[in-house]
Amino acid sequence: MTPETTTVSQAQYTSNETLVAFVESAIAYVKENGKEAALAEFNDPNGSFVRGELYIYAYDFNGTTLAHPVNPEKVGVNRLNETEGGVGIFLRQMNDAVRNGDGFGRIAYINPTRDRMLESKLAYGVQVDDDWWLGSGIYTGPLDLPAAALADYPEMIGIWRADSGAVYFLNDTIEKMSAGENTWVVTAQDDRVISGFKTFSLPDGTVENQTFVGIFNPDRETISFIDRPGGWATGSLADQDTLFIAWTNPGDDTATMAGALTLHRDNTV
């Protein structure tokens, strides 16, 4: 991600150069005063690092808030899976951006100074050390809502394997069985739509191979799946590498099948 020059009048919006200089001054403050004193200053709503829309926030690389003078209730809270305002996705992007030295990220966020209008907000962050980073952000103008609604869905391409799970056969009674080996492979992603195939063991020992399509819901954390035979499933992202699946299949005239499993992204391939 790279900085973008806003077309909005700079008399109304803070410049990118001012944003970068502000964050760099905070880095200098940490080096001069140490982490503990710096975080205390950053958390002070009346401190020297709160200047209108500019304020310093700080996070560790696990997503826990270390400083936030505007939302002090978030200090100590892990926000990596927070859906409101796209904060969780934004933090994952910023983790990568600051580690790569790029430093810039963008988020759609309500601007409280302009009737809570949803606007584009440009963030700039810098890695302090291996444990944490700090940053700030500026509003850069009204947002293209249709584009924002379809942007920044989690990247899902890869191999996802189940470490446990169960299948339930529903007829006059309920019979529970192990789900057995279960692998979902996402081979393609087009914005909010993912597709691929899944393999799993049947009770008779044979292996089934089915294609599927999944569509992200607007919360960017749940996915609605349908597979080739017409079965339905719902996926929920616990984190970027963990996907909980609940599914159902009408089966034959005598039984309906339902199942639950947790998939983990295989980062070794």
Side-chain angles (χ1 to χ4, degrees):
M1 292 173 282
T2 56
E4 300 175 22
T5 301
T6 176
T7 58
V8 183
S9 168
Q10 291 299 317
Q12 296 177 331
Y13 289 94
T14 307
S15 71
N16 298 350
E17 292 79 10
T18 299
L19 169 64
V20 171
F22 182 62
V23 172
E24 296 295 342
S25 70
I27 289 291
Y29 190 90
V30 175
K31 292 179 179 178
E32 182 177 348
N33 296 277
K35 181 178 181 178
E36 184 176 349
L39 289 178
E41 183 68 16
F42 300 154
N43 274 311
D44 184 354
N46 299 311
S48 59
F49 287 93
V50 179
R51 307 172 191 172
E53 74 168 340
L54 285 174
Y55 57 86
I56 293 294
Y57 45 75
Y59 290 88
D60 67 23
F61 283 105
N62 294 318
T64 299
T65 312
L66 304 178
H68 206 304
V70 176
N71 299 117
E73 73 281 0
K74 296 296 186 180
V75 175
V77 176
N78 189 295
R79 306 183 72 185
L80 206 60
N81 296 313
E82 190 171 311
T83 60
E84 185 178 1
V87 171
I89 295 172
F90 167 73
L91 289 178
R92 293 190 183 103
Q93 291 176 337
M94 288 302 294
N95 278 349
D96 293 338
V98 299
R99 278 177 166 151
N100 293 335
D102 300 329
F104 286 92
R106 189 168 287 278
I107 188 173
Y109 217 69
I110 290 172
N111 188 338
T113 68
R114 293 181 174 81
D115 298 323
R116 298 183 63 79
M117 180 185 296
L118 192 64
E119 294 194 7
S120 181
K121 191 170 186 179
L122 179 68
Y124 178 68
V126 175
Q127 181 173 348
V128 181
D129 58 32
D130 290 339
D131 297 324
W132 64 294
W133 61 276
L134 60 81
S136 188
I138 55 173
Y139 292 97
T140 58
L143 187 71
D144 181 351
L145 289 175
L150 295 175
D152 298 332
Y153 287 89
E155 189 277 312
M156 299 293 292
I157 292 176
I159 299 174
W160 300 73
R161 304 185 192 276
D163 60 358
S164 62
V167 177
Y168 299 86
F169 293 87
L170 286 69
N171 40 41
D172 294 336
T173 60
I174 299 175
E175 180 184 357
K176 178 182 177 181
M177 295 183 59
S178 170
E181 182 178 352
N182 210 305
T183 301
W184 295 47
V185 182
V186 180
T187 57
Q189 181 165 357
D190 181 9
D191 203 36
R192 69 168 65 194
V193 180
I194 63 175
S195 58
F197 62 92
K198 53 190 171 82
T199 59
F200 54 93
S201 301
L202 296 173
D204 62 5
T206 59
V207 175
E208 184 79 3
N209 189 324
Q210 298 176 349
T211 55
F212 68 82
V213 169
I215 302 174
F216 269 102
N217 295 318
D219 63 9
R220 293 172 167 80
E221 290 192 354
T222 56
I223 309 171
S224 297
F225 290 98
I226 186 168
D227 61 28
R228 184 186 61 210
W232 281 91
T234 298
S236 299
L237 279 169
D239 56 52
Q240 62 182 353
D241 293 321
T242 307
L243 180 64
F244 175 77
I245 297 285
W247 58 271
T248 183
N249 191 304
D252 56 28
D253 293 336
T254 61
T256 295
M257 292 182 288
L261 61 149
T262 301
L263 299 174
H264 299 278
R265 193 196 302 261
D266 188 342
N267 291 314
T268 64
V269 294

